[in-house]
Amino acid sequence: MSLRTKLILSVVLVGIGASFVSILVSVVVSTSIARDSASQIESLVLTSVKKDVEVYLDSITKPLSEYSFSGAISPYMTNITDELGMSQLSWGVRNAYSALNAKDFLETYVVLSDMRVVSKDGVVQIDLPKQIISDILEGKKKVDIYIPYVYDGQSTILVAAAIYDFSENIIGVLVGMYPLKDLQNMVSKLKVGKAGYMSLVYGTLTVVHPDSQYAGKLDLAKEEGTKALAAEILSKTKGTVTYNFNGKMFAAFERIGNYNLTALGVLPYSEISSAGNKIITSGLFAGIIIALAAALVAILITGTITTRIDHVVEIAQKVAQNDLTAQVDEKQLGKDEIAKLGEAFKILIDSFRQTVGEVMKLGAQVSSVSFMLDELSNSSAEAAMASKDTVQKTTLEVQDIAAATQESNSGMEEIASGAQNIARYSEKLSQSAELMR
């Protein structure tokens, strides 16, 4: 892997790391935004809907409870064992109806401790919610509501309050039916976010919903997708939950007063996560831009580095090919560490060039001395050959003279012997000349 590739990869990896950090921060921020959105829904449920519904329910229950607690009915209940006593009680119920009808109640009943129901027309057979009646008769609650209670084909809010005798003993329950439509209109108009809504749940039954097909019909405990929501509502008085019903939904809820009624704010989870997704997307794009910018910077920076290194490598290759005329261009090296490397390499080339020049000069001197020795050797050899020829000629002449004058005196023998010595010396001189070659 080339240096340039390594540098580019290093910078790109740094960019990718920065991108990852950017995306991680985006995820954290988006999660925080989702929590803030959930808090906003809870705040809406707590401060707006809950308060408004509580005020509205108080305005409904207060007239009935005040009438029941006032002792206006108890005198009619002193003798309920015979027909005359029941007739008197019917008059009491009629009076209660007249007073409460002015407050928009549709009907009123009195439930006795033996669960008989008395209307303004006498004892009637009517199916009332036994649980809240029993709770009031047993003293568990003084006032309670039941939603929805269908009366004469109309959804109503059933309000029940205890009836006390003069000894503060519970002797019955006053029940009144109030139209549900006003509460339905009030709550269903509220919006949460762009596509969210508010609803009211009695127990696990949806009693108020902006979509009429769910009001009074959708039981959260019976739908598979809303069972988790129902479980949370039954086990807690306040909380949040994510569930799947017609898509992934986020809900915040809180119990209203002492009633079995819960205010529920619902928002598509996509709406909560959309802001976070935008942040994550922005972080992703920012990361990509950072990585690309890092790659571009790496290419530019490594380009300036590798160009100068390539120049130094090119000069080195020329020197390796015995081209000592190659020169390092200082203008291309700049003024950083690579410039120092190029300068050191230039000094090395200059030193190498100087060393080669000195070696060549010494070689020329050695060649000149060798030539002179060759000439001297040749001259010595020629002189030796000439001396040898002369001696040989002289020897032959002496031998001829010796032969001719063999009979001469002994002094001539000594001359011949000296000539032989001279010949031997000449031969030695000739051999020495040969060796010198």
Side-chain angles (χ1 to χ4, degrees):
M1 185 182 292
S2 66
L3 175 61
R4 183 176 188 183
T5 303
K6 291 180 180 179
L7 290 172
I8 292 174
L9 287 177
S10 299
V11 179
V12 170
L13 288 175
V14 171
I16 293 173
S19 303
F20 177 76
V21 172
S22 175
I23 294 171
L24 181 62
V25 171
S26 300
V27 171
V28 172
V29 172
S30 66
T31 303
S32 176
I33 289 177
R35 286 198 300 266
D36 292 341
S37 299
S39 299
Q40 289 177 3
I41 296 174
E42 286 190 273
S43 176
L44 178 61
V45 171
L46 291 172
T47 62
S48 180
V49 178
K50 179 176 178 290
K51 182 178 180 180
D52 291 344
V53 173
E54 283 181 342
V55 170
Y56 181 80
L57 291 177
D58 286 343
S59 69
I60 296 174
T61 59
K62 189 175 181 180
L64 187 140
S65 61
E66 287 181 347
Y67 191 89
S68 180
F69 300 157
S70 68
I73 300 178
S74 57
Y76 297 98
M77 301 178 66
T78 55
N79 183 18
I80 55 174
T81 58
D82 56 23
E83 186 175 346
L84 179 61
M86 295 302 293
S87 179
Q88 290 178 344
L89 180 55
S90 297
W91 278 101
V93 175
R94 187 177 295 112
N95 291 336
Y97 171 77
S98 298
L100 295 175
N101 184 251
K103 301 294 184 179
D104 296 328
F105 277 85
L106 301 176
E107 186 59 274
T108 56
Y109 298 96
V110 169
V111 181
L112 302 177
S113 57
D114 58 5
M115 301 304 288
R116 286 181 296 168
V117 181
V118 181
S119 72
K120 58 183 181 292
D121 298 321
V123 178
V124 294
Q125 297 295 325
I126 186 171
D127 188 15
L128 297 176
K130 295 180 180 180
Q131 185 61 51
I132 67 169
I133 302 297
S134 298
D135 288 344
I136 293 175
L137 289 173
E138 293 171 4
K140 294 180 180 179
K141 290 185 178 182
K142 291 183 177 182
V143 181
D144 204 353
I145 63 172
Y146 180 88
I147 306 175
Y149 182 79
V150 179
Y151 171 76
D152 196 20
Q154 181 179 352
S155 295
T156 67
I157 302 171
L158 185 146
V159 182
I163 301 173
Y164 297 89
D165 61 13
F166 296 108
S167 299
E168 296 298 321
N169 296 316
I170 299 174
I171 57 175
V173 179
L174 177 62
V175 176
M177 287 72 176
Y178 193 92
L180 181 61
K181 61 180 180 180
D182 291 339
L183 182 60
Q184 169 76 25
N185 293 335
M186 181 182 73
V187 175
S188 62
K189 290 179 180 178
L190 298 175
K191 294 293 183 182
V192 181
K194 295 180 180 179
Y197 60 88
M198 296 300 307
S199 66
L200 296 179
V201 177
Y202 187 86
T204 59
L205 179 65
T206 303
V207 295
V208 174
H209 196 284
D211 192 340
S212 59
Q213 67 173 324
Y214 296 124
K217 301 174 183 176
L218 176 61
D219 191 335
L220 302 179
K222 295 180 179 179
E223 290 289 339
E224 188 64 32
T226 58
K227 284 183 178 180
L229 176 59
E232 290 291 311
I233 291 175
L234 292 175
S235 62
K236 300 177 182 178
T237 59
K238 179 181 179 181
T240 60
V241 63
T242 301
Y243 64 98
N244 286 287
F245 182 74
N246 295 331
K248 191 175 183 180
M249 310 296 284
F250 175 85
F253 62 89
E254 184 170 358
R255 190 72 53 80
I256 297 175
N258 293 321
Y259 307 119
N260 191 22
L261 186 66
T262 302
L264 181 66
V266 179
L267 188 67
Y269 194 83
S270 58
E271 187 171 328
I272 293 179
S273 61
S274 61
N277 291 337
K278 288 180 181 178
I279 294 176
I280 294 175
T281 303
S282 299
L284 180 60
F285 279 114
I288 293 174
I289 292 173
I290 291 172
L292 293 176
L296 180 60
V297 170
I299 292 172
L300 294 176
I301 292 176
T302 55
T304 59
I305 294 173
T306 55
T307 299
R308 292 179 290 168
I309 294 176
D310 289 342
H311 175 65
V312 174
V313 171
E314 181 183 358
I315 299 302
Q317 289 175 346
K318 289 183 178 180
V319 172
Q321 295 174 0
N322 300 324
D323 184 4
L324 299 180
T325 62
Q327 295 286 342
V328 176
D329 189 356
E330 295 181 358
K331 293 181 180 180
Q332 294 189 26
L333 298 180
K335 296 181 180 180
D336 54 10
E337 288 77 4
I338 295 178
K340 293 180 181 179
L341 173 64
E343 184 177 352
F345 189 69
K346 180 181 179 183
I347 293 172
L348 177 65
I349 292 175
D350 291 340
S351 177
F352 183 65
R353 188 184 293 113
Q354 183 178 357
T355 301
V356 171
E358 291 177 355
V359 171
M360 291 178 66
K361 185 184 294 184
L362 182 61
Q365 293 177 355
V366 171
S367 178
S368 177
V369 171
S370 177
F371 181 73
M372 292 174 64
L373 289 175
D374 287 342
E375 287 186 348
L376 179 61
S377 176
N378 291 332
S379 299
S380 299
E382 289 177 358
M385 289 296 294
S387 298
K388 181 179 179 181
D389 292 341
T390 302
V391 171
Q392 288 178 352
K393 288 181 181 180
T394 303
T395 301
L396 291 174
E397 290 177 357
V398 171
Q399 288 177 353
D400 290 341
I401 294 173
T405 60
Q406 187 174 11
E407 295 179 357
S408 299
N409 55 27
S410 57
M412 291 300 292
E413 290 179 358
E414 294 179 358
I415 293 172
S417 177
Q420 289 178 355
N421 289 333
I422 291 171
R424 284 194 297 269
Y425 176 76
S426 298
E427 287 180 0
K428 289 181 178 182
L429 183 61
S430 176
Q431 291 175 358
S432 298
E434 290 293 334
L435 292 173
M436 291 181 66
R437 286 186 178 182

